[in-house]
Amino acid sequence: MRGAIALLSAALVACTPSKPAQANLNGAGATFPNPLYTSWFATYAQQTGVKINYQSIGSGGGIRQFTQGTVDFGATDGPMTDEQIAAVERNVLHLPTALGAVTITYNLPGSPELQFDGATLSAIYQGQITRWNDPRIAALNPGASLPRTDILPVYRSDGSGTTFIFTDYLGKVSPEWAQQVGTATSVSWPVGLGGKGNEGVTQQVKQLVGTIGYVELIYALSNDLPVAKIKNADGQFVAPSLVSTTAAAGTVDFPADTDFRMSITNPPGAEAYPIASFTWLLVRPDAPDAAKAKAMKDFLEWMVGPEAQDMAKAMRYAPLPPGVAALVKERLTTLKAGGKPLN
């Protein structure tokens, strides 16, 4: 009898169709959207069972690992250059996921509410303004209590899309910055102290009195650090927020054949926050692994949908403008694996 049961069980197992292997995904890159991506990936795994492992190592690391083919997707806040795209034989697609604000945060006694313009920030990060009570800072902040404390600028020590956004802004508002330092994911900082990732810069500012740093909005808010208002292209001092970040994307007009690489720093508009940017996932328009390519496409379709974009708003990231989301969704229909369209 036992033998018969064993044979029957074996037969049933043999006849039971096996489920296809779950295609999990691995990615790496930007720390700027990491809080949002962590939430997205966890929610998506609960709903679908697809696990997405993400290493928050900075945009430079994400581009490098994507180029080397050690991850299924990369993430960056600074778009790849034409030379970097050539290195992957143009087999890369930049897909915007959300928008975020790079904030200027600082550590001063009493946490006074401060505001800056681009010229002053450029002078601070070039070592030309060295004390908090400098007349140029005081002129922008009448009535603020500014100590004679030395200013210690904190910057990203790793290749960083957050650095790209910040230096892109400074390069637009300060010709001297554009000529002397430039815009890139990694630059030669004239002065200051480095921190790895948005997390590292946040901790340096939080721990050291007199520091100033640039981080994504949620990092400053979650660590109870003040954020400054920044003078925009219309001459208005604007605080970073969901509304002002959305306003920064108000003039975006991607053409139908866009590659989505567009800078929106220092845009026109009285309500626009000037140090804002899209953040992108890097995916292969023609991937080698069909199962992973399909898993990637399925996630991306969910990502541009209302649930994921509402999660972005809840976490102080601005959702994609409807027209941009529609363009991304349309572009997803062109993804392939091994030269063949995905089902």
Side-chain angles (χ1 to χ4, degrees):
M1 187 67 175
R2 291 180 184 172
I5 292 174
L7 288 172
L8 179 59
S9 298
L12 288 172
V13 170
C15 293
T16 301
S18 59
K19 293 182 180 180
Q22 192 74 271
N24 296 322
L25 299 168
N26 293 301
T31 67
F32 179 84
N34 183 48
L36 176 60
Y37 288 176
T38 298
S39 182
W40 274 357
F41 298 154
T43 300
Y44 192 71
Q46 290 175 352
Q47 295 181 5
T48 66
V50 175
K51 296 179 180 179
I52 304 177
N53 175 57
Y54 182 71
Q55 298 177 357
S56 175
I57 60 173
S59 295
I63 291 172
R64 182 172 59 254
Q65 290 202 18
F66 179 83
T67 302
Q68 295 170 346
T70 58
V71 290
D72 302 310
F73 66 92
T76 183
D77 314 313
M80 294 174 69
T81 64
D82 290 342
E83 292 77 14
Q84 289 171 326
I85 290 175
V88 292
E89 299 178 344
R90 303 197 65 80
N91 191 25
V92 59
L93 179 60
H94 289 68
L95 292 176
T97 61
L99 298 103
V102 174
T103 65
I104 302 303
T105 186
Y106 47 90
N107 185 334
L108 287 176
S111 297
E113 294 183 4
L114 299 181
Q115 53 191 28
F116 296 96
D117 59 16
T120 303
L121 289 172
S122 173
I124 289 171
Y125 270 86
Q126 289 187 81
Q128 297 165 355
I129 293 179
T130 61
R131 293 187 186 277
W132 279 103
N133 65 344
D134 185 280
R136 284 168 286 185
I137 299 178
L140 294 171
N141 297 277
S145 178
L146 296 170
R148 196 172 178 273
T149 307
D150 288 340
I151 299 176
L152 177 57
V154 183
Y155 57 82
R156 286 285 292 275
S157 60
D158 52 329
S160 155
T162 310
T163 293
F164 179 89
I165 298 165
F166 183 48
T167 58
D168 184 52
Y169 163 72
L170 292 180
K172 289 180 179 180
V173 298
S174 169
E176 183 180 6
W177 183 275
Q179 182 177 6
Q180 299 295 328
V181 184
T183 297
T185 56
S186 181
V187 298
S188 179
W189 295 97
V191 293
L193 174 69
K196 186 174 182 181
N198 272 282
E199 301 91 342
V201 173
T202 300
Q203 289 308 307
Q204 295 279 29
V205 174
K206 189 173 183 178
Q207 294 169 8
L208 300 174
V209 175
T211 47
I212 186 171
Y214 58 94
V215 296
E216 205 283 327
L217 177 59
I218 196 170
Y219 289 91
L221 295 180
S222 61
N223 285 275
D224 296 320
L225 289 171
V227 293
K229 292 181 178 180
I230 306 298
K231 190 175 184 179
N232 68 14
D234 280 24
Q236 303 299 310
F237 287 95
V238 179
S241 68
L242 180 61
V243 171
S244 62
T245 302
T246 300
T251 59
V252 171
D253 186 18
F254 286 114
D257 61 348
T258 181
D259 66 1
F260 295 107
R261 293 184 297 163
M262 180 180 287
S263 166
I264 61 168
T265 55
N266 205 41
E271 296 182 352
Y273 181 71
I275 321 179
S277 177
F278 287 101
T279 187
W280 296 266
L281 288 186
L282 307 173
V283 301
R284 295 175 179 82
D286 191 353
D289 187 310
K292 287 195 171 189
K294 181 62 166 61
M296 191 78 234
K297 180 184 178 184
D298 289 346
F299 167 74
L300 293 168
E301 288 177 338
W302 176 86
M303 179 201 75
V304 297
E307 180 181 6
Q309 292 298 306
D310 284 347
M311 290 172 66
K313 285 192 288 186
M315 299 187 69
R316 308 293 183 92
Y317 294 87
L320 295 176
V324 177
L327 269 178
V328 172
K329 194 169 184 179
E330 181 181 343
R331 191 62 57 85
L332 296 180
T333 64
T334 68
L335 296 181
K336 299 178 181 179
K340 298 179 180 179
L342 297 172
N343 295 326

